Amino acid sequence: MDNKLLTFLEAIQQHTSMTKAAQSLFVSQPYISRTIKSAELHFGTNLIDREHRPLELTYAGERLLSYLQSDARLHQMMNTELREISQNKYQSMTIGITPPMADTWFSQTLPDFYRHFPNIRTKILEITTSKAEALLASHQLDFFIGKTIHQEHIKTVPLQTISLSLVIPQTARLYQPNQFWRPFTSTTLTSMNGEPVIRTVGEARFQELVDHYFADKGVQTIPLIEVNDSRFALSLTLQGLGSIVLATEMLAKMAAEPTQYPINAFKLPTSELSLDFSIAYLPSHVLAKPIAYLVDQACQNFSPAIDF
């Protein structure tokens, strides 16, 4: 009954109607009603507020749904782990890392990793933290390095604090030619009022952090363009289409040849705005040793604080 009850309660919560819930599941409305009634008799309390329109779960119904969802996740973890144990000869592991750091870290780590664990089949993803958060929640990702994720059932290990920089194009009022790095001063942000900016909506957590920073400083920019990632945003800034905030590390190669790039960069004070990077992983007895190895390698390769 629990699996049916979970499905029915989720459908009622989503569609706020017994009839629409039944239609979405291709079952009869009386069948759902009987199942809910049976559970209400069992628990001695109403699970559905039938007097409210649209239909909604009672507090007891919401709590029961939460317990059933947790139980379903545990069963999924159990099935996945036991399946991996039965296929012990060739375990599989999905590893993710945020794009700016992927090339360097994987090239340093993977050769030694496969010397230690030659039979592990590895799927490697270069993904944003928002995507990683969803994949971890659905148990499709085992290990991730990126912006800190705060999620129940996920283990995290802090790695470092990343320095961020404001990058402005040659079309900005504040721009000065032949100067790549410029000192950040109290007037830098106020000069951004009314300036067009490029928002990286694919990196939702990061963009939210940047938006709050400008708002807290009383700076009103013009969100001219929205893109999925910082690399594409930087290419648009180079074409003069708007300013961006990104990890200072992404500017390292450009800074070596500053005269070739029509931009100015300002390192933001880490006390005002920075990015916390962490390891996030799913606890797993089967993958405990490979995960412990990756955690150890990451902690060795990433210093506690970096100001590029």
Side-chain angles (χ1 to χ4, degrees):
M1 182 182 83
D2 286 351
N3 287 338
K4 289 188 295 185
L5 188 58
L6 168 61
T7 302
F8 293 165
L9 289 175
E10 285 181 332
I12 291 169
Q13 186 181 62
Q14 178 183 354
H15 297 286
T16 65
S17 163
M18 197 84 75
T19 301
K20 290 180 180 178
Q23 291 172 347
S24 71
L25 298 172
F26 301 100
V27 298
S28 68
Q29 186 268 335
Y31 180 42
I32 292 183
S33 295
R34 288 196 301 272
T35 303
I36 299 294
K37 275 289 187 183
S38 177
E40 289 177 330
L41 288 172
H42 176 77
F43 292 110
T45 186
N46 289 334
L47 303 177
I48 306 293
D49 185 351
R50 293 171 176 79
E51 295 181 0
H52 189 276
R53 290 293 181 274
L55 205 65
E56 63 180 23
L57 302 184
T58 63
Y59 176 72
E62 290 177 349
R63 296 301 301 140
L64 176 59
L65 176 58
S66 177
Y67 280 119
L68 291 174
Q69 288 172 332
S70 296
D71 186 58
R73 284 193 294 268
L74 285 174
H75 275 278
Q76 182 181 12
M77 290 173 63
M78 177 190 70
N79 291 333
T80 300
E81 189 165 317
L82 291 177
R83 187 163 55 248
E84 289 174 347
I85 291 172
S86 70
Q87 301 169 351
N88 187 56
K89 184 178 179 181
Y90 292 105
Q91 297 173 3
S92 61
M93 186 176 189
T94 304
I95 304 171
I97 192 167
T98 195
M101 311 174 77
D103 294 342
T104 302
W105 194 74
F106 279 130
S107 63
Q108 293 173 346
T109 305
L110 284 181
D112 281 340
F113 178 81
Y114 276 104
R115 278 193 285 271
H116 284 81
F117 308 101
N119 291 326
I120 289 187
R121 293 174 175 170
T122 307
K123 182 178 182 181
I124 297 173
L125 304 176
E126 190 176 5
I127 52 176
T128 65
T129 302
S130 299
K131 179 66 173 177
E133 191 170 9
L135 292 177
L136 283 165
S138 60
H139 298 271
Q140 298 179 65
L141 187 66
D142 300 296
F143 181 93
F144 175 69
I145 294 179
K147 303 172 189 71
T148 301
I149 292 174
H150 303 284
Q151 192 179 99
E152 192 178 2
H153 309 304
I154 301 300
K155 298 289 186 181
T156 59
V157 179
L159 286 178
Q160 63 180 195
T161 299
I162 298 293
S163 166
L164 301 175
S165 291
L166 168 67
V167 182
I168 65 170
Q170 61 181 343
T171 52
R173 293 190 304 270
L174 188 60
Y175 177 77
Q176 293 182 9
N178 303 318
Q179 293 190 51
F180 190 90
W181 289 115
R182 291 177 55 191
F184 180 85
T185 67
S186 58
T187 61
T188 302
L189 285 183
T190 56
S191 300
M192 288 296 298
N193 269 307
E195 287 285 339
V197 296
I198 300 169
R199 303 180 73 250
T200 53
V201 294
E203 302 167 12
R205 297 287 184 271
F206 172 65
Q207 189 58 55
E208 183 179 340
L209 186 71
V210 173
D211 290 344
H212 285 166
Y213 175 64
F214 280 120
D216 289 344
K217 296 294 182 180
V219 176
Q220 294 185 345
T221 57
I222 301 172
L224 186 66
I225 300 174
E226 293 185 347
V227 298
N228 280 330
D229 60 78
S230 296
R231 288 176 178 173
F232 185 32
L234 180 57
S235 71
L236 297 180
T237 297
L238 290 169
Q239 297 177 53
L241 295 177
S243 300
I244 54 170
V245 173
L246 44 64
T248 305
E249 180 188 21
M250 294 182 65
L251 301 171
K253 291 182 180 179
M254 290 184 176
E257 300 176 301
T259 57
Q260 295 188 25
Y261 301 101
I263 56 175
N264 292 160
F266 304 82
K267 292 180 182 179
L268 300 172
T270 54
S271 59
E272 292 189 6
L273 184 66
S274 59
L275 200 58
D276 291 329
F277 263 56
S278 298
I279 298 164
Y281 64 93
L282 293 172
S284 167
H285 295 299
V286 174
L287 297 173
K289 289 184 178 179
I291 286 176
Y293 178 84
L294 291 174
V295 170
D296 181 67
Q297 290 298 305
C299 290
Q300 289 184 39
N301 283 283
F302 293 99
S303 60
I306 288 187
D307 185 10
F308 296 95

